[in-house]
Amino acid sequence: MSDTLDLAIDLISRPSVTPDDMGCQELMIARLEAIGFQVERMRFGEVDNFWARRGSEGPVFCFAGHTDVVPTGPVERWQSHPFKPEIRDGVLYGRGAADMKGSLAAMVTACERFVAAHPDHKGSIAFLITSDEEGPAIDGTVKVIETLEARDEKIDWCLVGEPSSTDVVGDVVKNGRRGSHGCRLLIKGIQGHVAYPHLARNPIHQAMPALAELVAVEWDQGNEFFPPTTLQITNIHGGTGATNVIPGELEVIFNLRYSTETNHHKIERQVAEILDRHGLDYDIEWTLSGKPFLTPAGELVNATRAAIKQVMGFDTELSTAGGTSDGRFIAPTGAQVIELGPRNASIHKIDEHVGVEELDQLSAMYEGILRELLTVGKDN
């Protein structure tokens, strides 16, 4: 039982389904305060967050993450109880093992070892932890960042512990994310009897050509860092349930994951042009979940590559694929942001798991990044 595995088990044992933290943060806080971190608890609405910092000068390196997990699904389908962690054949099973309590444990133990070896490290180490990442993400990281920005407290480098790896821990590092722009489109018609279509206006019939054009649009061709922008319709609803009633309206939900080759204003204008050209009567509501961001080669990327190479012996791959993360709230402040965590194959699934060895490897990588960034030029 390594320190990292022991802490991961303790965290997984707490059923912290969004937004309930269930004491996970206090467990981390106790460990961080013991090694000299000053901790500021920040509760917004029903969400627990904390900001911890060791040091008062820059540059500031921040570990960011979340203690909340998604619901377990049917407990009876798990081989072992999702909140009673179990090790089988060198693998730790439990909800949050990979997303992302294993990463949180690795962050804490990496700091414990680093501070013991380098008590007078340069700059500052910080933690930004929330219990609202898997849910609405309204009262979590975004609110902590707003608080820090209001007092001009800046993060220079940020490592988000999201599960980034594919086949082996450390093989993929996320150095950016696509933007996410969601839409609720309500197309208005006139309800009527199917036998008298001339007295009604069928919004489904009217919408189909416009929707077909929307899904066929080539929004951009992407670039060396991002794949092309894509649109996916995720829900269509219309009708009363009766076979002889023409519906009065049609609701369409879709989402675009977009590259830095476009922006949400251009997307909105292009969608409106298509809908207007097809003569639709509609209401539209947009929700911007996050703008795209990219951390190019620089201090943080270089330090991360070096640490992974030292621990694992291979060169990592940089990627911007995947969904959104709380990095979207941190990058706009000017911070360099990367994501490095365990393999992501089992996240949000039944029997979520992480390799026991992965946890110690991840902790060693985190410690290596600290060493690369906060000991250069210092006699420690």
Side-chain angles (χ1 to χ4, degrees):
M1 291 286 286
S2 70
D3 289 343
T4 306
L5 176 59
D6 189 50
L7 180 53
I9 288 173
D10 205 347
L11 289 168
I12 296 167
S13 298
R14 299 162 189 260
S16 54
V17 178
T18 312
D20 296 323
D21 173 68
M22 301 301 289
C24 292
Q25 292 182 20
E26 289 302 322
L27 182 62
M28 295 178 66
I29 286 170
R31 300 279 286 260
L32 294 175
E33 287 181 332
I35 56 173
F37 279 80
Q38 300 297 313
V39 179
E40 185 177 356
R41 295 167 177 82
M42 298 183 181
R43 184 172 175 86
F44 301 106
E46 299 300 314
V47 176
D48 289 310
N49 312 279
F50 77 82
W51 169 252
R53 181 166 173 171
R54 188 182 196 276
S56 58
E57 299 181 355
V60 177
F61 176 89
C62 177
F63 286 110
H66 60 91
T67 54
D68 60 316
V69 298
V70 296
T72 63
V75 174
E76 65 276 9
R77 290 181 55 193
W78 288 67
Q79 294 185 54
S80 54
H81 194 283
F83 296 119
K84 295 179 180 176
E86 185 173 296
I87 299 172
R88 300 191 297 273
D89 298 323
V91 177
L92 174 64
Y93 291 84
R95 174 59 84 221
D99 188 14
M100 57 178 287
K101 293 181 175 180
S103 297
L104 297 180
M107 292 172 182
V108 171
T109 57
C111 282
E112 289 172 337
R113 292 192 307 275
F114 177 76
V115 168
H118 308 283
D120 299 318
H121 60 81
K122 71 176 192 178
S124 299
I125 310 172
F127 277 72
L128 194 171
I129 305 298
T130 183
S131 60
D132 185 37
E133 195 273 347
E134 298 289 10
I138 295 172
D139 290 320
T141 299
V142 64
K143 287 287 182 65
V144 178
I145 287 294
E146 288 174 1
T147 302
L148 297 178
E149 286 286 285
R151 63 193 190 204
D152 200 30
E153 189 169 0
K154 293 290 187 179
I155 297 169
D156 296 282
W157 305 306
C158 182
L159 187 154
V160 185
E162 290 292 345
S164 64
S165 304
T166 302
D167 299 315
V168 181
V169 64
D171 62 352
V172 177
V173 169
K174 301 294 175 67
N175 66 322
R177 292 284 192 169
R178 292 175 294 174
S180 175
H181 204 22
C183 182
R184 177 183 179 273
L185 174 64
L186 187 68
I187 299 169
K188 303 174 185 178
I190 297 175
Q191 183 173 314
H193 198 291
V194 296
Y196 304 95
H198 58 289
L199 300 177
R201 190 173 75 244
N202 193 322
I204 298 176
H205 292 184
Q206 286 195 307
M208 289 303 105
L211 295 181
E213 185 173 342
L214 275 177
V215 300
V217 169
E218 183 179 296
W219 305 91
D220 56 56
Q221 295 183 335
N223 53 40
E224 61 178 313
F225 302 107
F226 291 91
T229 296
T230 60
L231 179 150
Q232 289 293 314
I233 295 175
T234 57
N235 192 280
I236 295 180
H237 178 74
T240 64
T243 61
N244 60 351
V245 178
I246 295 170
E249 60 184 27
L250 176 71
E251 182 185 61
V252 182
I253 308 293
F254 59 87
N255 179 273
L256 292 103
R257 295 301 167 103
Y258 67 98
S259 76
T260 50
E261 292 297 305
T262 187
N263 60 59
H264 65 285
H265 298 298
K266 290 181 181 178
I267 289 170
E268 291 178 12
R269 286 197 298 269
Q270 192 164 354
V271 169
E273 288 171 3
I274 292 172
L275 299 177
D276 292 341
R277 190 166 62 251
H278 284 272
L280 299 180
D281 182 9
Y282 65 91
D283 289 331
I284 194 165
E285 178 182 335
W286 290 97
T287 302
L288 180 63
S289 298
K291 298 178 182 179
F293 68 89
L294 178 73
T295 297
E299 303 100 335
L300 181 57
V301 168
N302 294 341
T304 303
R305 281 174 157 160
I308 293 172
K309 180 79 169 182
Q310 184 176 30
V311 175
M312 302 301 293
F314 54 68
D315 294 319
T316 191
E317 173 191 345
L318 299 179
S319 171
T320 60
T324 59
S325 77
D326 274 2
R328 70 190 189 274
F329 303 128
I330 302 168
T333 68
Q336 296 178 33
V337 179
I338 61 104
E339 299 173 26
L340 170 60
R343 290 176 294 167
N344 55 28
S346 70
I347 61 174
H348 293 202
K349 292 184 177 181
I350 302 292
D351 291 330
E352 180 181 349
H353 58 271
V354 64
V356 170
E357 186 180 20
E358 282 183 68
L359 297 175
D360 290 326
Q361 291 169 334
L362 192 60
S363 183
M365 292 178 205
Y366 290 166
E367 182 184 5
I369 295 169
L370 290 171
R371 193 163 51 243
E372 289 283 332
L373 293 172
L374 300 182
T375 63
V376 176
K378 286 190 68 71
D379 182 13
N380 287 303

